[in-house]
Amino acid sequence: MDRHKVKRQRLDRICEGIRPPIVNGPMPARPLVALLDGRDCTVEMPILKDVATVAFCDAQSTQEIHEKVLNEAVGALMYHTITLSRQDLEKFKALRVIVRIGSGYDNVDIKSAAELGIAVCNIPSSSVEETADSTLCHILNLYRRVTWLHQAMREGNRASSMEQIREVAGGAVRIRGETLGIIGLDGVERSLGLQRIGTLQDLLMHSDCITLHCSLNEHNHHLINDFTIKQMRHGCFLVNTARGGLVDEKALAQALKEGRIRGTALDVHESEPFSFAQGPLKDAPNVICTPHTAWYSEQASIESREDAAKEIRRAITGHIPDTLRNCVNKEYLLLAAQWPSIDPAAVHPELNGAVAYRHYIIQCDDANDICRKKRCMPSAYWHRSPRHLTFSCRSLPCMLKTKGDGIVPCNILQEGCRETKAYEMTPMP
């Protein structure tokens, strides 16, 4: 068999199913924007109707998303009820920006998104007041045992005698003089008149109540575990309105049963939607659980949706990621060399016109050999990084020559093709 034909077949197999990375270029006339895990677009529509077509999916996974959205959606809005892994992100063929309606973005693989040319944004200021108010409610509830007193009355306990009051309200504690430990303040403690503790261990040892407000990442998963619980003061309280993955619920349940933790209030859980009938907390005492609603109020919901729609609008009408206000993976995008570092209009005169460019990325062992030959492609923009070479052009007046493997015409390399060999550019004969 012709070895060039074999090589073409091998390249086709490599390219099959790989989502082509998207670099800056002209948007479609009316790009498609989809709300992935919701169905109400009444807030977003007035902001986006003149620049985009807005649709909703109401999906819990990418398997439930319509093929048209997977193929054509340029922007995506999402809450916290859907997760986008690399495998999920690769299903989207035209996606350029994801906006998380809320502050947390641990349900999106932001590094993989950057490698695929997708900017990920969040709304960090959304629901700050609501979450703080809910946290204070939970703390007061744990100290004054309001939930359990209400439940006792619903069950018919009148608590008329002192002995009955002592029994039903047992565990209520005076708050004055207690120490509150806050994990995750993002440097604002000085403006609030708070004292910064040097290490996590010191905070755990000196706090009577601990509340979590940090984002979830690969470094702090199960931040509260059996080891850190043993470092806490005996009988402390724990409140979590941040992310469920911060707490090892098995270790927490055991600590509640042993009395090492006096009580806990959780608005977020390792597995959501949460059910008391399942999971390690079902038999644990002194637990208050709410269904990930600490962030919610009518005003906060509308404001966060408006801000998310405005971020999508900036992505459509501006330059990604420079015009985005809250791009959380911008650093990864630049490392992946997906975005030009010079004015794109100087490189592509028809950038804002109707001409569509084809985009390619080739992963190399050494991109230096290619960049030395870049003069053979005056119509292309080249950006070099240690392992990636990205270019876009309307025509490729050249051929790719792999070292030791003969000549391979460019049109064989499907968009998104990735090879692990170094290439050098040579002009077409």
Side-chain angles (χ1 to χ4, degrees):
M1 185 182 292
D2 179 51
R3 68 186 183 122
H4 295 304
K5 184 175 181 180
V6 172
K7 189 170 186 66
R8 285 194 296 271
Q9 292 174 348
R10 182 169 63 87
L11 288 170
D12 288 341
R13 287 195 300 270
I14 293 173
C15 298
E16 184 178 359
I18 298 179
R19 176 201 187 276
I22 305 296
V23 296
N24 275 304
M27 290 275 188
R30 287 189 63 82
L32 177 62
V33 174
L35 174 61
L36 300 184
D37 52 345
R39 63 175 63 185
D40 180 11
C41 301
T42 56
V43 174
E44 297 81 3
M45 190 72 73
I47 298 172
L48 296 171
K49 64 181 181 180
D50 62 323
V51 296
T53 300
V54 182
F56 69 86
C57 301
D58 196 22
Q60 300 302 306
S61 70
T62 53
Q63 294 178 348
E64 301 175 13
I65 296 177
H66 195 276
E67 185 177 356
K68 181 177 178 64
V69 173
L70 294 176
N71 290 334
E72 299 180 17
V74 170
L77 294 158
M78 59 183 293
Y79 295 100
H80 63 273
T81 56
I82 189 171
T83 299
L84 297 179
S85 64
R86 184 184 185 91
Q87 185 177 5
D88 295 316
L89 292 168
E90 288 178 341
K91 295 179 182 178
F92 293 90
K93 306 305 181 185
L95 195 60
R96 298 192 190 184
V97 61
I98 298 170
V99 179
R100 165 73 170 85
I101 307 175
S103 58
Y105 48 87
D106 51 282
N107 53 334
V108 182
D109 186 342
I110 62 173
K111 291 183 180 180
S112 294
E115 292 173 1
L116 296 169
I118 305 171
V120 180
C121 307
N122 71 337
I123 311 299
S125 60
S126 70
S127 309
V128 172
E129 295 178 45
E130 284 73 13
T131 303
D133 292 343
S134 297
T135 301
L136 290 174
C137 288
H138 283 312
I139 293 172
L140 292 171
N141 211 340
L142 289 172
Y143 273 89
R144 303 307 306 150
R145 296 187 66 79
V146 176
T147 294
W148 294 285
L149 292 171
H150 169 75
Q151 184 177 349
M153 292 196 69
R154 294 278 294 185
E155 294 172 353
N157 191 334
R158 296 184 179 181
S160 56
S161 68
M162 182 57 64
E163 287 73 20
Q164 289 174 330
I165 292 175
R166 188 177 293 111
E167 180 181 353
V168 74
V173 185
R174 177 179 290 175
I175 298 177
R176 176 160 45 90
E178 296 284 281
T179 300
L180 176 65
I182 306 174
I183 301 177
L185 265 181
D186 199 21
V188 300
E189 67 281 344
R190 198 171 285 181
S191 64
L192 298 175
L194 304 178
Q195 177 185 356
R196 175 183 282 271
I197 296 295
T199 65
L200 175 63
Q201 183 178 9
D202 290 337
L203 183 143
L204 298 174
M205 292 175 60
H206 294 91
S207 300
D208 299 295
C209 179
I210 296 168
T211 175
L212 304 179
H213 299 278
C214 47
S215 59
L216 177 65
N217 55 51
E218 65 270 22
H219 305 295
N220 62 12
H221 182 258
H222 282 180
L223 178 70
I224 303 302
N225 52 51
D226 185 63
F227 177 74
T228 52
I229 288 174
K230 290 178 180 177
Q231 298 179 47
M232 297 180 185
R233 281 186 177 180
H234 187 84
C236 75
F237 294 113
L238 176 68
V239 177
N240 185 13
T241 57
R243 283 293 177 269
L246 295 170
V247 178
D248 182 349
E249 292 185 353
K250 290 183 180 179
L252 175 60
Q254 187 63 33
L256 287 164
K257 293 174 182 178
E258 296 174 358
R260 286 184 285 154
I261 291 182
R262 188 182 309 179
T264 185
L266 306 174
D267 181 64
V268 288
H269 309 87
E270 285 196 86
S271 178
E272 295 183 1
F274 176 77
S275 172
F276 267 114
Q278 301 175 347
L281 294 172
K282 62 181 179 181
D283 299 323
N286 300 323
V287 178
I288 300 172
C289 290
T290 50
H292 202 149
T293 53
W295 63 275
Y296 184 80
S297 72
E298 289 291 340
Q299 299 90 331
S301 176
I302 292 173
E303 289 174 4
S304 60
R305 290 171 63 185
E306 288 176 342
D307 290 342
K310 291 174 183 177
E311 190 80 324
I312 287 283
R313 185 182 180 92
R314 282 189 286 270
I316 294 173
T317 61
H319 184 279
I320 301 173
D322 298 334
T323 56
L324 301 176
R325 290 186 180 177
N326 301 304
C327 183
V328 298
N329 66 340
K330 185 174 182 179
E331 178 183 354
Y332 298 126
L333 284 168
L334 297 176
L335 287 175
Q338 299 296 315
W339 310 107
S341 58
I342 63 175
D343 182 9
V347 180
H348 303 308
E350 299 174 271
L351 183 65
N352 298 318
V355 178
Y357 291 87
R358 300 188 67 189
H359 307 287
Y360 301 80
I361 182 169
I362 302 171
Q363 183 172 326
C364 310
D365 289 332
D366 183 7
N368 293 326
D369 290 337
I370 309 176
C371 295
R372 293 193 191 104
K373 300 290 185 179
K374 63 184 178 182
R375 294 187 186 89
C376 72
M377 289 190 63
S379 63
Y381 170 77
W382 294 81
H383 185 89
R384 192 178 77 192
S385 73
R387 289 190 60 80
H388 291 84
L389 177 69
T390 304
F391 61 93
S392 61
C393 62
R394 284 191 296 163
S395 61
L396 299 175
C398 55
M399 302 177 74
L400 288 176
K401 180 179 180 181
T402 62
K403 293 183 177 180
D405 285 326
I407 297 175
V408 182
C410 283
N411 58 11
I412 291 178
L413 294 174
Q414 300 178 16
E415 295 188 18
C417 181
R418 298 186 181 183
E419 269 284 2
T420 56
K421 295 183 179 181
Y423 290 91
E424 61 179 343
M425 303 301 301
T426 58
M428 289 186 70

